[in-house]
Amino acid sequence: MIEDKNTPRTQLSELGEFGLIEHLTQNFTISQPSTLYGIGDDAAVLDFNQKKCVLSTDLLVEGVHFDLAYVPLKHLGYKAVMVNLSDIYAMNATASQITVSIAVSNRFTLEALEELYEGIYAAAKLYNVDVIGGDTTSSTSGLIISITATGFAEEDAIVYRNGAKDGDLLVVTGDLGAAYLGLQVLEREKQVFKVNPNVQPDLDQYSYLIERQLKPEARKDMPGLLKALEVQPTSMIDISDGLSSEVIHLCTRSKVGVNLYEDKIPLDPAVISTSEEFNLNSTTVALNGGEDYELLFTIDQNDYPKIKANPNLTVIGHIVDEKSGIGLVTRANEKIELKAQGWNPIKE
Amino acid sequence: MIEDKNTPRTQLSELGEFGLIEHLTQNFTISQPSTLYGIGDDAAVLDFNQKKCVLSTDLLVEGVHFDLAYVPLKHLGYKAVMVNLSDIYAMNATASQITVSIAVSNRFTLEALEELYEGIYAAAKLYNVDVIGGDTTSSTSGLIISITATGFAEEDAIVYRNGAKDGDLLVVTGDLGAAYLGLQVLEREKQVFKVNPNVQPDLDQYSYLIERQLKPEARKDMPGLLKALEVQPTSMIDISDGLSSEVIHLCTRSKVGVNLYEDKIPLDPAVISTSEEFNLNSTTVALNGGEDYELLFTIDQNDYPKIKANPNLTVIGHIVDEKSGIGLVTRANEKIELKAQGWNPIKE
């Protein structure tokens, strides 16, 4: 947050649109066999051969989805890619390409955009996706990032939201709630910084939470793991808006109910301790926090032995019929209706 | 521009993100065989079978790409789709799907977004593309539209920018410069309106120009026509930033030069008369105006007999070797270097 006055500051207008795109994308190379042609023409050309193409898109807006006061641009670029790849993995597909469009106000320098693209580049490289196109323009205020991700899968491997059936087990990857608490910690530090910019905060104990917020990882490993375990989920969704919201989506689309067990929800010890510190209920944090980018899916009961030994997978409930409702079974063994209080980007 | 106080005004926050998406997309139906699954899951699922997938994306920002003072939202929705489809046709491909993401500030009501989506719907229907996804969020200021378009083609039908060769003919569809003049007329009327809101302008003589600006049509007909004529262009690009800029792109990517003949550039009579009225050179308008969404392509000389009778196609020059340069041959038969003065969205 401390501005280095010696940082070079190149005005975007010096390059123009085509110069800017060329400059920002010069390090991007093509490595996916399905990319026949990437950046440089009216459109990219992709070859999914016998496989089906999956496609998803997301829009991130400064002041709505991120606050540049505590999100470094490099992390933002990385996260913007993760948000999109997560949707591809949630189809049980392999992510292969992204397009990146940005609108920036003229308070951004070339060096700032280079940082953003460094993060995008790092994510694309690590997740083995090609950057195949995009658009670069100015905005009247702030930064807007629009990413479209494509991927591929065999038709019978694709998992939709609507296939859960009575008796299936509800499974979640990783642990939940950390990204939300990371945001709370960062928000608190921002307030402290406003009062006294010379305070150097000690954030060591929150490092896992902050990393989950600033540098989330999408579950690239899951489609491969599920295939290796010979488990075909009956339904799947990624957790971006909070567990509650996603459980409700899965159940509504599948026309089923669920018993979700509070005591089964996987929480990192830092989530438990920091929830206490912030006077928050850790279950509420896990249910409604969002931005975990874990996967939530259902499997047939017969597949349970295949997954039970895996430390990345936790059974948190089971599917019941639609009439039984979408319920949370509390630690006190009461069933209460699950409500979505997840984050809503459409608000005043 | 006159506000109707009786228009219903539903606040977007009343619906929330998912309610809003559902509401806005409820009329969209799937008609493309290549769309296996559209809106409603983490990602859409597409099947291009043996064909190759082409994919392009564009970002339109209020105050940069459009001014809502004179662009009706319905037209804006239509045009936003055209801008993207034009890129697909420029690959000599069939457009088949789009995703539409929007960010809106809370000064937009549900009814305003409905108008925008009416235009998108009209375009999608007329051009036979499915709306398969998108994202809806709030913005801190103004309206941002991000569209990604996909399409398909046989691999050997796809036309890139880089295939023009010495001796090829340079061909353009339709006529040029009208959209730019339409914008000049609208800008002038906006100024008049500011001074006296009661003036009802008579815009009849400018109707072609205004229509080209507000409701451009992409050249959906061209891939089919070229196939029917048995003409495979050697290079192709769409004209969004102005003829000059696109000619330079084609030549640079193909490593060739060109002789472009000023007197061959197709101009509508309204372009000639209105250029005079605005004290503009009509050649400059056609070269640098932009937003025509016509196609520019090169063909082998041997294909000339196949296209010469077509009123939609005009030969405006021929490709020369790279050393001979990218030149405009003026009416006075002088060859001058062609310069791109097209519109640049990255400026202060």
Side-chain angles (χ1 to χ4, degrees):
Chain A
M1 287 181 250
I2 297 160
E3 200 171 304
D4 175 1
K5 300 292 187 195
N6 297 317
T7 305
R9 299 188 165 269
T10 312
Q11 297 306 316
L12 297 182
S13 50
E14 292 171 32
L15 283 109
E17 184 188 6
F18 302 112
L20 181 60
I21 292 177
E22 212 169 285
H23 181 85
L24 292 173
T25 60
Q26 61 191 349
N27 291 325
F28 292 123
T29 52
I30 296 301
S31 61
Q32 276 286 336
S34 55
T35 308
L36 298 188
Y37 197 96
I39 293 166
D41 218 289
D42 293 287
V45 182
L46 310 176
D47 180 8
F48 296 110
N49 212 328
Q50 295 301 321
K51 304 238 170 81
K52 305 312 167 204
C53 164
V54 296
L55 186 151
S56 182
T57 192
D58 263 303
L59 198 57
L60 299 177
V61 178
E62 183 181 350
V64 179
H65 298 90
F66 55 88
D67 181 340
L68 289 175
Y70 47 73
V71 180
L73 280 161
K74 191 173 168 182
H75 284 86
L76 178 63
Y78 192 92
K79 184 170 176 173
V81 176
M82 288 309 116
V83 170
N84 277 271
L85 298 187
S86 185
D87 284 320
I88 301 299
Y89 302 134
M91 301 302 285
N92 204 27
T94 303
S96 47
Q97 289 89 11
I98 54 170
T99 65
V100 181
S101 295
I102 54 167
V104 277
S105 68
N106 56 20
R107 77 178 157 89
F108 288 84
T109 60
L110 177 63
E111 289 72 22
L113 291 190
E114 282 173 347
E115 256 192 74
L116 180 75
Y117 271 74
E118 255 181 63
I120 291 167
Y121 182 66
K125 203 171 170 191
L126 191 59
Y127 283 73
N128 194 24
V129 296
D130 295 339
V131 180
I132 55 160
D135 197 3
T136 310
T137 185
S138 55
S139 85
T140 46
S141 79
L143 173 64
I144 295 123
I145 309 173
S146 174
I147 294 187
T148 296
T150 49
F152 56 84
E154 300 284 354
E155 186 162 11
D156 56 8
I158 294 173
V159 181
Y160 294 93
R161 294 178 178 178
N162 62 5
K165 58 184 197 308
D166 198 349
D168 281 355
L169 301 176
L170 185 68
V171 184
V172 71
T173 64
D175 57 72
L176 302 175
Y180 175 79
L181 288 175
L183 183 63
Q184 302 315 306
V185 171
L186 290 168
E187 290 272 12
R188 185 177 65 183
E189 293 311 318
K190 183 183 165 184
Q191 299 310 321
V192 171
F193 180 83
K194 276 185 185 168
V195 176
N196 183 353
N198 295 317
V199 170
Q200 287 295 323
D202 178 10
L203 298 175
D204 271 5
Q205 62 173 305
Y206 308 113
S207 60
Y208 177 66
L209 308 179
I210 292 171
E211 187 169 341
R212 292 281 283 177
Q213 170 58 226
L214 292 184
K215 194 167 171 288
E217 304 289 346
R219 299 301 317 216
K220 177 180 193 264
D221 56 334
M222 278 302 142
L225 177 69
L226 291 167
K227 195 176 177 185
L229 295 174
E230 295 178 9
V231 173
Q232 173 70 11
T234 52
S235 70
M236 185 149 61
I237 192 169
D238 78 317
I239 301 178
S240 51
D241 297 325
L243 178 63
S244 285
S245 170
E246 316 301 358
V247 165
I248 292 169
H249 278 308
L250 268 199
C251 288
T252 309
R253 298 299 308 283
S254 297
K255 299 190 171 64
V256 294
V258 73
N259 286 344
L260 170 63
Y261 294 90
E262 183 182 9
D263 63 353
K264 302 290 186 196
I265 297 172
L267 303 175
D268 187 87
V271 167
I272 296 168
S273 62
T274 310
S275 291
E276 272 174 29
E277 186 189 332
F278 278 78
N279 278 319
L280 294 165
N281 178 312
S282 59
T283 301
T284 309
V285 166
L287 285 173
N288 300 316
E291 295 200 280
D292 295 309
Y293 302 108
E294 297 292 343
L295 295 178
L296 177 74
F297 56 93
T298 53
I299 61 170
D300 190 280
Q301 275 190 35
N302 294 323
D303 285 334
Y304 177 63
K306 300 178 188 169
I307 66 143
K308 69 175 178 184
N310 196 299
N312 286 307
L313 304 177
T314 310
V315 176
I316 57 172
H318 59 86
I319 300 299
V320 295
D321 67 17
E322 195 173 10
K323 274 176 292 182
S324 304
I326 299 169
L328 177 73
V329 181
T330 66
R331 286 197 177 85
N333 208 24
E334 281 179 302
K335 184 169 170 174
I336 58 173
E337 194 193 340
L338 197 63
K339 293 234 165 102
Q341 294 164 347
W343 184 71
N344 180 359
I346 303 289
K347 58 189 176 190
E348 288 185 87
Chain B
M1 287 177 248
I2 297 159
E3 199 172 305
D4 177 2
K5 301 292 186 196
N6 297 318
T7 306
R9 297 187 167 271
T10 311
Q11 297 307 314
L12 297 181
S13 50
E14 291 172 30
L15 284 108
E17 184 187 5
F18 302 113
L20 181 59
I21 293 178
E22 210 168 287
H23 181 85
L24 291 173
T25 60
Q26 62 192 349
N27 291 325
F28 292 123
T29 51
I30 294 302
S31 61
Q32 276 286 337
S34 55
T35 308
L36 297 189
Y37 197 97
I39 293 167
D41 217 288
D42 294 286
V45 181
L46 310 176
D47 180 8
F48 296 109
N49 213 326
Q50 294 301 321
K51 303 238 170 82
K52 304 312 165 203
C53 163
V54 295
L55 186 151
S56 182
T57 191
D58 263 302
L59 198 58
L60 298 177
V61 179
E62 183 180 351
V64 179
H65 298 89
F66 56 88
D67 181 340
L68 290 175
Y70 48 72
V71 180
L73 281 162
K74 191 173 168 180
H75 285 87
L76 179 63
Y78 193 92
K79 184 169 176 174
V81 177
M82 288 308 117
V83 170
N84 277 271
L85 298 187
S86 185
D87 284 319
I88 301 298
Y89 302 136
M91 301 303 284
N92 204 27
T94 303
S96 47
Q97 289 89 12
I98 54 170
T99 64
V100 180
S101 295
I102 55 167
V104 278
S105 67
N106 56 21
R107 75 179 158 90
F108 288 85
T109 59
L110 178 63
E111 290 73 21
L113 290 190
E114 282 173 346
E115 257 192 73
L116 180 75
Y117 271 75
E118 256 181 60
I120 291 166
Y121 182 66
K125 202 170 173 191
L126 192 58
Y127 283 73
N128 194 23
V129 296
D130 294 340
V131 180
I132 55 160
D135 197 4
T136 310
T137 184
S138 55
S139 86
T140 45
S141 79
L143 173 64
I144 295 122
I145 309 173
S146 175
I147 294 188
T148 296
T150 48
F152 57 84
E154 300 284 355
E155 185 162 13
D156 56 8
I158 293 173
V159 181
Y160 294 93
R161 294 179 178 177
N162 62 6
K165 58 184 196 309
D166 197 352
D168 281 355
L169 300 177
L170 185 68
V171 184
V172 70
T173 64
D175 56 72
L176 302 176
Y180 176 79
L181 288 174
L183 184 62
Q184 302 314 308
V185 171
L186 290 167
E187 290 271 11
R188 186 176 64 184
E189 293 311 319
K190 182 183 166 187
Q191 298 310 320
V192 171
F193 179 85
K194 276 185 184 167
V195 176
N196 184 352
N198 295 317
V199 171
Q200 286 294 323
D202 177 10
L203 298 175
D204 270 5
Q205 61 171 307
Y206 307 113
S207 60
Y208 176 66
L209 308 179
I210 291 170
E211 187 169 342
R212 291 282 282 178
Q213 170 59 226
L214 292 185
K215 193 167 172 288
E217 303 290 347
R219 298 300 321 216
K220 178 179 194 265
D221 56 335
M222 279 302 141
L225 177 67
L226 291 168
K227 195 177 179 184
L229 295 174
E230 295 178 6
V231 172
Q232 173 72 11
T234 52
S235 70
M236 186 148 64
I237 192 169
D238 78 318
I239 302 179
S240 50
D241 297 326
L243 179 62
S244 284
S245 170
E246 315 303 358
V247 166
I248 293 169
H249 278 308
L250 267 199
C251 289
T252 309
R253 298 300 309 282
S254 297
K255 298 190 171 65
V256 294
V258 74
N259 286 345
L260 170 64
Y261 294 90
E262 182 180 11
D263 63 353
K264 302 290 186 194
I265 298 171
L267 304 174
D268 188 85
V271 167
I272 297 168
S273 62
T274 309
S275 290
E276 272 174 30
E277 186 189 332
F278 277 78
N279 279 318
L280 294 166
N281 179 310
S282 60
T283 301
T284 308
V285 165
L287 285 174
N288 300 316
E291 296 201 279
D292 296 308
Y293 302 109
E294 297 292 344
L295 295 178
L296 177 74
F297 57 93
T298 53
I299 61 169
D300 191 279
Q301 276 190 35
N302 295 322
D303 285 333
Y304 178 63
K306 301 176 188 168
I307 66 142
K308 69 176 179 185
N310 195 299
N312 286 307
L313 303 176
T314 309
V315 176
I316 57 171
H318 60 85
I319 299 300
V320 295
D321 67 17
E322 194 173 13
K323 274 175 293 184
S324 304
I326 298 167
L328 177 73
V329 181
T330 65
R331 286 196 179 85
N333 207 25
E334 281 180 299
K335 182 168 170 175
I336 57 173
E337 194 194 339
L338 197 64
K339 294 232 165 102
Q341 294 164 347
W343 184 71
N344 180 0
I346 302 290
K347 59 190 175 190
E348 287 184 86

